[in-house]
Amino acid sequence: MLNFWDSFGDVLTIRANKATTEHGLDLRSLDRSKAKTYKEADVVYRFNDFGFRSNDFSNISKDDSLLFVGCSITEGIGLPYEHIWSNQLTQMLNQGEKKFRAFNMSLAGTGLDTMFRNIFILIKNLEKVPHSVFLLIPPLYRMETFVSEKLEDDEFVYFFNPFNKRDSANKFWHDKKTANINLRERFHYAYGQLLFLQDFLESRGIKLYISLWDFGEYRPGEKRKLDYFKENLPLPLRRDYLNSEFKKTSTSTEFPQEIAKDLFHPGPNSHFDFAVSVYNELLKREQ
């Protein structure tokens, strides 16, 4: 049997070091065998026929189906399926009279381009219409494009990050100027995508809820990209925006694990906090 976690090798050490700054956990000084994370057998990945970590899309219905869309956080990398915020939120909602089922259309490392295309195909072409769509917006600098020649991993579709100077050596996209891509234009493009999605879903009677996680990478003295996004959010989108921010760190003790199994992604308590925040806001909206 393939040991998924052993495949990380030295990369696991790099991720543990990075987690020190991104999650506030001093994992470098911990024996990883004693780190508060999951056992290997706790995290199982099962995918449906379309390659998503989700229940079968053929069971989606307008009456009781919630569709969750995002990147690695919402896909639940390094977490048991039931600990992802989408499933925790669905369990909270099911405490009431109406019962919902969660469907997950998230892919690690992807951005709005990929998410909108997948939602459009699911609803327009496959004619699967959920009750609501919850979109946890990924970093807006993630773009999907095609290249004319093969990359080293023989992939034609390439997701690249023009704000990340660590990628500056990539021969296809990066030089000294691309790291300074116009942030305002990128946000306006994202707003246009969100407005299109809002109209597309509303025309089919589907509710849309959007929220954010802090996609950082800003220079000292620079406004957080997350704050810039919220301050400039177009008026039509504000009714769909949830004032709930996914945070990478948590003070909750609902779960004993501090961090995901890959020692990089947020742990289950961050997912729990976010699910509670979204649940409380949804309750307020129903009052």
Side-chain angles (χ1 to χ4, degrees):
M1 179 181 291
L2 175 66
N3 188 326
F4 176 81
W5 301 109
D6 284 349
S7 66
F8 278 107
D10 292 339
V11 176
L12 194 61
T13 303
I14 297 174
R15 289 194 172 202
N17 292 340
K18 188 175 180 182
T20 301
T21 56
E22 295 207 0
H23 300 281
L25 299 172
D26 189 12
L27 293 179
R28 287 178 296 188
S29 63
L30 292 178
D31 180 345
R32 283 203 293 275
S33 66
K34 299 178 180 179
K36 293 181 180 179
T37 187
Y38 296 94
K39 298 179 181 178
E40 181 179 330
D42 293 337
V43 184
V44 178
Y45 294 94
R46 294 186 176 90
F47 301 91
N48 65 16
D49 290 343
F50 290 93
F52 294 96
R53 195 182 183 193
S54 174
N55 296 318
D56 192 341
F57 288 161
S58 63
N59 295 321
I60 291 178
S61 69
K62 183 71 167 59
D63 294 332
D64 63 357
S65 301
L66 306 179
L67 179 65
F68 295 87
V69 186
C71 55
S72 58
I73 288 179
T74 307
E75 187 178 4
I77 298 299
L79 296 179
Y81 184 70
E82 61 271 17
H83 290 178
I84 305 171
W85 72 268
S86 55
N87 296 306
Q88 295 198 55
L89 174 62
T90 302
Q91 291 177 8
M92 295 174 191
L93 293 172
N94 286 344
Q95 295 174 6
E97 294 182 1
K98 188 171 179 61
K99 306 302 179 184
F100 293 97
R101 295 177 298 160
F103 296 84
N104 200 324
M105 206 177 195
S106 304
L107 288 173
T110 56
L112 289 178
D113 298 347
T114 306
M115 295 170 193
F116 290 167
R117 175 168 52 79
N118 287 336
I119 293 173
F120 187 83
I121 291 173
L122 179 72
I123 296 174
K124 181 77 172 180
N125 295 356
L126 300 180
E127 298 181 346
K128 295 300 178 183
V129 180
H131 177 279
S132 302
V133 172
F134 289 82
L135 177 63
L136 181 54
I137 298 173
L140 299 182
Y141 43 68
R142 291 180 182 172
M143 307 175 196
E144 180 184 86
T145 190
F146 291 84
V147 296
S148 59
E149 55 182 302
K150 287 188 177 182
L151 301 176
E152 293 180 359
D153 56 359
D154 291 333
E155 291 289 343
F156 283 98
V157 181
Y158 179 48
F159 308 103
F160 70 101
N161 175 353
F163 291 121
N164 194 337
K165 293 184 177 180
R166 291 171 299 181
D167 295 337
S168 60
N170 187 286
K171 64 180 181 180
F172 292 109
W173 299 109
H174 296 279
D175 54 29
K176 293 181 179 180
K177 295 182 180 180
T178 51
N180 296 317
I181 189 170
N182 191 306
L183 180 61
R184 186 184 301 274
E185 290 182 3
R186 183 57 191 161
F187 275 86
H188 287 172
Y189 176 67
Y191 295 146
Q193 289 180 305
L194 289 168
L195 287 169
F196 172 82
L197 178 64
Q198 183 187 58
D199 292 341
F200 174 74
L201 295 178
E202 282 187 352
S203 67
R204 290 159 176 78
I206 304 171
K207 296 180 180 180
L208 172 65
Y209 300 100
I210 59 176
S211 47
L212 295 168
W213 60 278
D214 190 352
F215 33 84
E217 294 190 20
Y218 49 91
R219 302 178 183 87
E222 182 182 58
K223 182 184 291 293
R224 289 198 314 168
K225 294 181 177 68
L226 184 146
D227 293 333
Y228 185 95
F229 178 91
K230 292 190 291 186
E231 291 174 6
N232 293 276
L233 197 67
L235 285 175
L237 289 174
R238 293 185 183 179
R239 69 176 183 272
D240 291 340
Y241 177 70
L242 296 171
N243 290 310
S244 302
E245 176 185 334
F246 189 100
K247 299 182 183 299
K248 293 181 178 180
T249 57
S250 172
T251 57
S252 296
T253 57
E254 182 74 11
F255 300 91
Q257 295 84 3
E258 294 176 314
I259 197 168
K261 174 61 179 172
D262 64 347
L263 301 182
F264 176 73
H265 284 89
N269 287 312
S270 292
H271 285 253
F272 174 76
D273 286 348
F274 183 62
V276 170
S277 179
V278 171
Y279 176 72
N280 288 335
E281 186 161 350
L282 292 175
L283 285 183
K284 292 179 182 178
R285 295 189 178 204
E286 291 297 325
Q287 294 176 353

